[in-house]
PDB file of all heavy atoms in Angstrom:
ATOM      1  N   ASP Z  48     -18.696 -24.320  -7.881  1.00  0.00           N
ATOM      2  CA  ASP Z  48     -18.992 -25.028  -9.128  1.00  0.00           C
ATOM      3  C   ASP Z  48     -17.709 -25.604  -9.703  1.00  0.00           C
ATOM      4  O   ASP Z  48     -16.632 -25.006  -9.578  1.00  0.00           O
ATOM      5  CB  ASP Z  48     -19.630 -24.063 -10.134  1.00  0.00           C
ATOM      6  CG  ASP Z  48     -20.459 -24.788 -11.188  1.00  0.00           C
ATOM      7  OD1 ASP Z  48     -20.572 -26.022 -11.091  1.00  0.00           O
ATOM      8  OD2 ASP Z  48     -20.981 -24.116 -12.087  1.00  0.00           O
ATOM      9  N   ILE Z  49     -17.810 -26.775 -10.322  1.00  0.00           N
ATOM     10  CA  ILE Z  49     -16.668 -27.414 -10.968  1.00  0.00           C
ATOM     11  C   ILE Z  49     -16.917 -27.440 -12.472  1.00  0.00           C
ATOM     12  O   ILE Z  49     -17.954 -27.934 -12.931  1.00  0.00           O
ATOM     13  CB  ILE Z  49     -16.442 -28.857 -10.447  1.00  0.00           C
ATOM     14  CG1 ILE Z  49     -16.134 -28.822  -8.935  1.00  0.00           C
ATOM     15  CG2 ILE Z  49     -15.296 -29.524 -11.180  1.00  0.00           C
ATOM     16  CD1 ILE Z  49     -17.253 -29.259  -8.079  1.00  0.00           C
ATOM     17  N   LEU Z  50     -15.988 -26.881 -13.220  1.00  0.00           N
ATOM     18  CA  LEU Z  50     -16.110 -26.798 -14.682  1.00  0.00           C
ATOM     19  C   LEU Z  50     -15.108 -27.758 -15.302  1.00  0.00           C
ATOM     20  O   LEU Z  50     -13.978 -27.377 -15.631  1.00  0.00           O
ATOM     21  CB  LEU Z  50     -15.851 -25.366 -15.157  1.00  0.00           C
ATOM     22  CG  LEU Z  50     -16.631 -24.255 -14.415  1.00  0.00           C
ATOM     23  CD1 LEU Z  50     -16.172 -22.891 -14.889  1.00  0.00           C
ATOM     24  CD2 LEU Z  50     -18.126 -24.414 -14.628  1.00  0.00           C
ATOM     25  N   ALA Z  51     -15.501 -29.014 -15.434  1.00  0.00           N
ATOM     26  CA  ALA Z  51     -14.577 -30.038 -15.921  1.00  0.00           C
ATOM     27  C   ALA Z  51     -14.050 -29.707 -17.311  1.00  0.00           C
ATOM     28  O   ALA Z  51     -12.867 -29.929 -17.608  1.00  0.00           O
ATOM     29  CB  ALA Z  51     -15.272 -31.397 -15.923  1.00  0.00           C
ATOM     30  N   GLY Z  52     -14.915 -29.168 -18.170  1.00  0.00           N
ATOM     31  CA  GLY Z  52     -14.492 -28.840 -19.526  1.00  0.00           C
ATOM     32  C   GLY Z  52     -13.429 -27.768 -19.581  1.00  0.00           C
ATOM     33  O   GLY Z  52     -12.572 -27.758 -20.461  1.00  0.00           O
ATOM     34  N   MET Z  53     -13.469 -26.829 -18.612  1.00  0.00           N
ATOM     35  CA  MET Z  53     -12.486 -25.754 -18.537  1.00  0.00           C
ATOM     36  C   MET Z  53     -11.320 -26.088 -17.618  1.00  0.00           C
ATOM     37  O   MET Z  53     -10.398 -25.301 -17.458  1.00  0.00           O
ATOM     38  CB  MET Z  53     -13.152 -24.465 -18.036  1.00  0.00           C
ATOM     39  CG  MET Z  53     -14.109 -23.840 -19.019  1.00  0.00           C
ATOM     40  SD  MET Z  53     -14.883 -22.353 -18.307  1.00  0.00           S
ATOM     41  CE  MET Z  53     -13.443 -21.328 -17.970  1.00  0.00           C
ATOM     42  N   GLN Z  54     -11.376 -27.292 -16.992  1.00  0.00           N
ATOM     43  CA  GLN Z  54     -10.334 -27.698 -16.051  1.00  0.00           C
ATOM     44  C   GLN Z  54     -10.148 -26.646 -14.954  1.00  0.00           C
ATOM     45  O   GLN Z  54      -9.036 -26.211 -14.644  1.00  0.00           O
ATOM     46  CB  GLN Z  54      -9.005 -27.923 -16.778  1.00  0.00           C
ATOM     47  CG  GLN Z  54      -9.034 -29.060 -17.783  1.00  0.00           C
ATOM     48  CD  GLN Z  54      -8.951 -30.430 -17.119  1.00  0.00           C
ATOM     49  OE1 GLN Z  54      -7.921 -30.821 -16.593  1.00  0.00           O
ATOM     50  NE2 GLN Z  54     -10.067 -31.158 -17.124  1.00  0.00           N
ATOM     51  N   ALA Z  55     -11.273 -26.216 -14.374  1.00  0.00           N
ATOM     52  CA  ALA Z  55     -11.226 -25.147 -13.371  1.00  0.00           C
ATOM     53  C   ALA Z  55     -12.432 -25.262 -12.441  1.00  0.00           C
ATOM     54  O   ALA Z  55     -13.377 -26.022 -12.693  1.00  0.00           O
ATOM     55  CB  ALA Z  55     -11.210 -23.781 -14.051  1.00  0.00           C
ATOM     56  N   ALA Z  56     -12.390 -24.496 -11.364  1.00  0.00           N
ATOM     57  CA  ALA Z  56     -13.496 -24.468 -10.406  1.00  0.00           C
ATOM     58  C   ALA Z  56     -13.715 -23.040  -9.929  1.00  0.00           C
ATOM     59  O   ALA Z  56     -12.764 -22.259  -9.797  1.00  0.00           O
ATOM     60  CB  ALA Z  56     -13.191 -25.371  -9.216  1.00  0.00           C
ATOM     61  N   PHE Z  57     -14.984 -22.708  -9.674  1.00  0.00           N
ATOM     62  CA  PHE Z  57     -15.315 -21.419  -9.077  1.00  0.00           C
ATOM     63  C   PHE Z  57     -15.338 -21.576  -7.561  1.00  0.00           C
ATOM     64  O   PHE Z  57     -15.981 -22.487  -7.029  1.00  0.00           O
ATOM     65  CB  PHE Z  57     -16.674 -20.917  -9.577  1.00  0.00           C
ATOM     66  CG  PHE Z  57     -16.627 -20.301 -10.946  1.00  0.00           C
ATOM     67  CD1 PHE Z  57     -17.362 -20.844 -11.996  1.00  0.00           C
ATOM     68  CD2 PHE Z  57     -15.844 -19.180 -11.184  1.00  0.00           C
ATOM     69  CE1 PHE Z  57     -17.319 -20.273 -13.260  1.00  0.00           C
ATOM     70  CE2 PHE Z  57     -15.791 -18.603 -12.442  1.00  0.00           C
ATOM     71  CZ  PHE Z  57     -16.531 -19.152 -13.476  1.00  0.00           C
ATOM     72  N   LEU Z  67     -11.569 -17.926  -9.396  1.00  0.00           N
ATOM     73  CA  LEU Z  67     -11.383 -19.052 -10.307  1.00  0.00           C
ATOM     74  C   LEU Z  67     -10.061 -19.737  -9.994  1.00  0.00           C
ATOM     75  O   LEU Z  67      -9.015 -19.089  -9.911  1.00  0.00           O
ATOM     76  CB  LEU Z  67     -11.385 -18.569 -11.755  1.00  0.00           C
ATOM     77  CG  LEU Z  67     -11.280 -19.671 -12.816  1.00  0.00           C
ATOM     78  CD1 LEU Z  67     -12.586 -20.448 -12.914  1.00  0.00           C
ATOM     79  CD2 LEU Z  67     -10.913 -19.080 -14.181  1.00  0.00           C
ATOM     80  N   ALA Z  68     -10.120 -21.060  -9.817  1.00  0.00           N
ATOM     81  CA  ALA Z  68      -8.898 -21.851  -9.599  1.00  0.00           C
ATOM     82  C   ALA Z  68      -8.796 -22.897 -10.692  1.00  0.00           C
ATOM     83  O   ALA Z  68      -9.693 -23.735 -10.832  1.00  0.00           O
ATOM     84  CB  ALA Z  68      -8.925 -22.504  -8.232  1.00  0.00           C
ATOM     85  N   HIS Z  69      -7.756 -22.847 -11.501  1.00  0.00           N
ATOM     86  CA  HIS Z  69      -7.523 -23.883 -12.505  1.00  0.00           C
ATOM     87  C   HIS Z  69      -7.013 -25.148 -11.811  1.00  0.00           C
ATOM     88  O   HIS Z  69      -6.386 -25.090 -10.754  1.00  0.00           O
ATOM     89  CB  HIS Z  69      -6.505 -23.404 -13.541  1.00  0.00           C
ATOM     90  CG  HIS Z  69      -7.016 -22.289 -14.404  1.00  0.00           C
ATOM     91  ND1 HIS Z  69      -7.992 -22.475 -15.350  1.00  0.00           N
ATOM     92  CD2 HIS Z  69      -6.692 -20.966 -14.448  1.00  0.00           C
ATOM     93  CE1 HIS Z  69      -8.254 -21.326 -15.952  1.00  0.00           C
ATOM     94  NE2 HIS Z  69      -7.482 -20.395 -15.416  1.00  0.00           N
ATOM     95  N   PHE Z  70      -7.277 -26.290 -12.422  1.00  0.00           N
ATOM     96  CA  PHE Z  70      -6.868 -27.555 -11.819  1.00  0.00           C
ATOM     97  C   PHE Z  70      -5.355 -27.612 -11.557  1.00  0.00           C
ATOM     98  O   PHE Z  70      -4.911 -28.197 -10.574  1.00  0.00           O
ATOM     99  CB  PHE Z  70      -7.287 -28.729 -12.710  1.00  0.00           C
ATOM    100  CG  PHE Z  70      -8.768 -29.029 -12.680  1.00  0.00           C
ATOM    101  CD1 PHE Z  70      -9.308 -30.031 -13.469  1.00  0.00           C
ATOM    102  CD2 PHE Z  70      -9.635 -28.307 -11.862  1.00  0.00           C
ATOM    103  CE1 PHE Z  70     -10.670 -30.310 -13.448  1.00  0.00           C
ATOM    104  CE2 PHE Z  70     -11.001 -28.564 -11.832  1.00  0.00           C
ATOM    105  CZ  PHE Z  70     -11.527 -29.576 -12.634  1.00  0.00           C
ATOM    106  N   VAL Z  71      -4.576 -27.006 -12.451  1.00  0.00           N
ATOM    107  CA  VAL Z  71      -3.111 -27.025 -12.251  1.00  0.00           C
ATOM    108  C   VAL Z  71      -2.714 -26.258 -10.992  1.00  0.00           C
ATOM    109  O   VAL Z  71      -1.628 -26.463 -10.452  1.00  0.00           O
ATOM    110  CB  VAL Z  71      -2.358 -26.450 -13.474  1.00  0.00           C
ATOM    111  CG1 VAL Z  71      -2.506 -27.337 -14.673  1.00  0.00           C
ATOM    112  CG2 VAL Z  71      -2.806 -25.021 -13.779  1.00  0.00           C
TER     113      VAL Z  71
END
Side-chain angles (χ1 to χ4, degrees):
D48 203 3
I49 298 105
L50 310 174
M53 290 178 60
Q54 296 283 289
F57 281 119
L67 183 73
H69 292 290
F70 286 178
V71 293

